[in-house]
């Protein structure tokens, strides 16, 4: 098999293609011949040595793949053989062959190709948890989503529109036209204007009911202030700590220190009628039953045409460094994939 390794923390050029014998599926596992693998911002943070969950280097990252099953381990259902699937992978997704527990694997609906399959799990499950499970977005409410043109941002917009909400999105200016086509009601170029007063202006001073924020740092504070009474802030990342393409402890410290450490105390929460919650899909491996339920609902929405990933870039394994540059240069509108 071929895999992309991170041998040490560094810029995208540290990514290294290596070969190894094909793995055999262990008990309860299936083996997938990978046709597309998703690239996530967590992989970028991992490459820089700024992702706390990363196993020790050298390591193969990657949380999601799509492809065809060609073997099953003892006890796994034989019927999987030959199935076209999408799958969550607990690291190791940057591979052209991978073995995973069968509970993490889902049949791809008719018409969903491998690229769409690999673009689906992380972005859509995260957006679902933020909006439907914990954020309780109701029809008529307004959601603000940061990095609206990223994989999660687009998934969140599609889900919010399906459930009758208004969407405000922050993104670099070049993405605004495409975002409007997706149904975003108001776009904010956060590089030119402060989103907090702009959100107040757009909501006649009231604020919004749900905010999805993976920028972090100072952004969490501003988002918190931009919530209407009964508003909910979903925090799920710290992109602000990625100040360059190599690890910067200074950048991390700045982002960490500017977080709202003192705002979410019990009395303060009661008095402002707001909620703050966190989401980390990578810490839900023990909750596969819950995730399976969310995935079934999401695949139903895919089948009915309500949600569909937007693919922004496809890179061969040899071009993996380019894929990471593409994201960090903020050029992606939607999902970036590695194609073996
Ligand atoms: N907790 C979870 O379970 C979970 C799951 C998935 C993703 N996430 C988090 O959600 C965020 C978005 O993930 P994604 O996969 O949707 O991202 P993505 O598709 O890779 O989006 C990248 C976009 O984020 C924006 N951005 C903001 N700060 C940035 C920075 N410092 N460097 C580079 N780009 C930056 C840029 O768009 P603009 O220039 O348009 O703003 C960029 O194009 C990340 O923080 C990620 O870690 C968390």
């Amino acid at each position: 098999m071929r895999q992309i390794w991170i041998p040490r923390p560094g810029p995208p050029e540290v990514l290294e293609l290596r070969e190894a014998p094909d793995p055999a599926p262990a008990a309860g596992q299936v083996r997938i011949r990978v046709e597309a693998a998703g690239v996530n911002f967590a992989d970028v943070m991992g490459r820089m040595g700024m992702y706390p969950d990363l196993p020790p280097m050298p390591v193969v990252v990657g949380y999601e793949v799509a492809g065809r099953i060609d073997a099953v381990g003892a006890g796994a259902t034989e019927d999987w053989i030959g199935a076209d699937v999408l799958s969550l992978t607990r690291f190791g997704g940057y591979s052209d062959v991978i073995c995973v527990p069968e509970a993490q694997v889902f049949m791809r609906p008719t018409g969903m190709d491998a690229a769409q399959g690999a673009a689906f799990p992380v972005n859509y499950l995260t957006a679902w948890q933020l909006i439907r499970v914990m954020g309780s977005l109701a029809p008529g409410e307004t959601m603000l989503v940061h990095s609206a043109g990223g994989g999660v941002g687009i998934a969140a917009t599609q889900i919010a529109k399906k459930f009758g909400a208004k969407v405000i999105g922050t993104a670099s200016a070049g993405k605004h036209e495409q975002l409007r086509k997706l149904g975003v009601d108001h776009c904010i170029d956060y590089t030119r204007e402060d989103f907090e007063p702009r959100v107040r202006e757009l909501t006649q001073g009231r604020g919004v009911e749900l905010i999805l924020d993976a920028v972090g740092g100072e952004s969490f504070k501003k988002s918190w202030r931009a919530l209407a009474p009964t508003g909910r802030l979903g925090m799920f990342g710290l992109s602000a700590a990625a100040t360059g393409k190599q690890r910067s402890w200074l950048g991390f410290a700045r982002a960490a220190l500017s977080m709202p450490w003192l705002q979410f105390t019990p009395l303060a929460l009661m008095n402002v009628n707001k909620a703050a919650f966190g989401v980390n899909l990578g810490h839900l491996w023990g909750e596969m039953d819950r995730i399976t339920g969310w995935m079934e609902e999401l695949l139903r929405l895919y089948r009915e045409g309500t949600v569909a990933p937007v693919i922004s870039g496809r890179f061969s394994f040899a071009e993996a460094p380019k894929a990471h540059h593409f994201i960090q240069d903020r050029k992606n509108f939607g999902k970036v994939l590695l194609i073996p």
Side-chain angles (χ1 to χ4, degrees), residues 39-42 122-123 126 147 149-153 170-172 175 190 214-215 236-240 242-243 279-282 327-328 330-332 334-335:
V39 179
N40 284 289
F41 206 81
V122 173
N123 290 166
T126 303
S147 309
V152 177
T170 72
S172 301
K175 302 175 187 175
Y190 66 97
V215 175
F236 66 110
L238 196 56
S239 310
T243 48
V279 161
N280 188 340
L281 193 65
I327 290 175
Q328 291 199 272
R330 300 165 187 256
K331 288 184 181 156
N332 67 306
K335 191 75 186 178

Side-chain angles (χ1 to χ4, degrees), residues 40 48 91 131 143 165 315 318 321:
N40 284 289
M48 295 197 293
F91 303 104
I131 295 173
M143 175 184 87
F315 297 85

Side-chain angles (χ1 to χ4, degrees), residues 24-31 71-77 80 99-105:
Q29 290 188 334
V30 300
R31 185 171 69 186
V72 299
T77 316
W80 280 118
C99 297
V100 289
E102 63 179 334
Q104 287 166 220
V105 176

